[in-house]
Amino acid sequence: MSSLPFLNADAFSADPSRLADALRDRGACWIADWPPQPLRDALRDELRALQGREGLAPASVGRAGARARRDDIRADSTCWLDDPRCGEPARDFLMHLGEVRTMLNRTLFLGLHSVEAHYAAYPAGGGYARHRDRFRDSDARVVSWVTYLNADWGNDDGGALRIWEEDGSTVDLPPVGGSVCFLSELEHAVLPAHRERLSIAGWMRRD
Ligand code: OGA
Ligand code: MN
């Protein structure tokens, strides 16, 4: 198992283009402690509030006519951050992600037109089987982003994000303490966790 390029929040804030370097060189990067803890806490509170109001819906797989609920493939329940039930933390987060999009367009000329993101809660025992974030018939999603919202996470809690790099090696990232950004063409999976796993998954799109 290999490790990923790593930026801490200070390095990323001082020079966000280092993320572009990491994506170009390795296709993925871990950004520790970013976005800042107060925003991650507010996002977790908002996700919890949505859960209390049944604001999350079970995710489905496949597109259009072939959409189906398959919790053996994907067990999370989600709510898009641009939903009217979401508030300030979601708007703040989308603004941050929009700034990253602008930076990646400037540095890598990716032509990314928009960002989208949803809250995701995986129940204990649930994961997301190995997949790409691009649909077979669409390459609109170019860059994937995941921010982890659990306040704490133990070594034995499971729930790693596993990424398959281009050379076939894998990286496992525990879902806590920051964000990961990777090219949407890379295969990845969410391994089942022993407890509920909270996150935001986002994408930068070329439409
Ligand atoms: C996804 C996904 C990864 C994670 O939502 O498509 O791969 O670590 N999420 O939550
Ligand atoms: Mn994915």
Side-chain angles (χ1 to χ4, degrees):
M1 187 149 45
S2 59
S3 60
L4 282 191
F6 171 99
L7 287 174
N8 64 38
D10 288 343
F12 181 56
S13 299
D15 182 7
S17 73
R18 290 179 60 184
L19 171 61
D21 297 337
L23 288 181
R24 190 192 302 109
D25 297 344
R26 290 282 299 284
C29 186
W30 177 257
I31 306 163
D33 210 30
W34 197 92
Q37 182 80 56
L39 177 54
R40 280 182 285 137
D41 289 344
L43 291 163
R44 182 177 57 253
D45 290 346
E46 181 161 88
L47 171 48
R48 288 272 181 233
L50 285 164
Q51 280 181 310
R53 298 159 53 199
E54 298 187 12
L56 302 186
S60 49
V61 298
R63 294 193 85 192
R67 287 184 77 73
R69 172 87 183 126
R70 287 285 304 273
D71 61 10
D72 54 326
I73 296 178
R74 163 168 198 193
D76 57 334
S77 289
T78 65
C79 177
W80 291 97
L81 268 62
D82 65 356
D83 187 287
R85 286 168 299 185
C86 296
E88 176 106 32
R91 279 194 295 278
D92 256 24
F93 180 86
L94 288 173
M95 193 193 69
H96 281 299
L97 212 56
E99 287 169 3
V100 176
R101 176 182 76 87
T102 306
M103 179 279 293
L104 291 177
N105 280 340
R106 203 168 49 229
T107 48
L108 298 178
F109 309 104
L110 290 178
L112 306 168
H113 290 118
S114 61
V115 299
E116 59 183 1
H118 63 54
Y119 286 114
Y122 290 80
Y128 193 155
R130 184 169 173 173
H131 68 281
R132 288 193 177 89
D133 287 339
R134 292 185 158 187
F135 297 110
R136 246 186 296 278
D137 57 348
S138 162
D139 59 1
R141 287 175 170 175
V142 177
V143 176
S144 298
W145 184 281
V146 188
T147 291
Y148 295 104
L149 300 181
N150 286 92
D152 61 278
W153 198 262
N155 289 333
D156 301 325
D157 285 336
L161 170 66
R162 176 167 295 171
I163 297 177
W164 281 263
E165 294 194 83
E166 231 121 56
D167 65 3
S169 61
T170 58
V171 190
D172 283 3
L173 300 168
V176 69
S179 301
V180 60
C181 181
F182 57 96
L183 299 179
S184 301
E185 68 201 25
L186 290 182
E187 287 187 279
H188 56 283
V190 175
L191 306 185
H194 302 302
R195 47 184 283 211
E196 189 181 38
R197 178 188 191 275
L198 306 176
S199 61
I200 294 173
W203 297 275
M204 304 184 199
R205 298 173 57 98
R206 190 155 56 196
D207 291 310

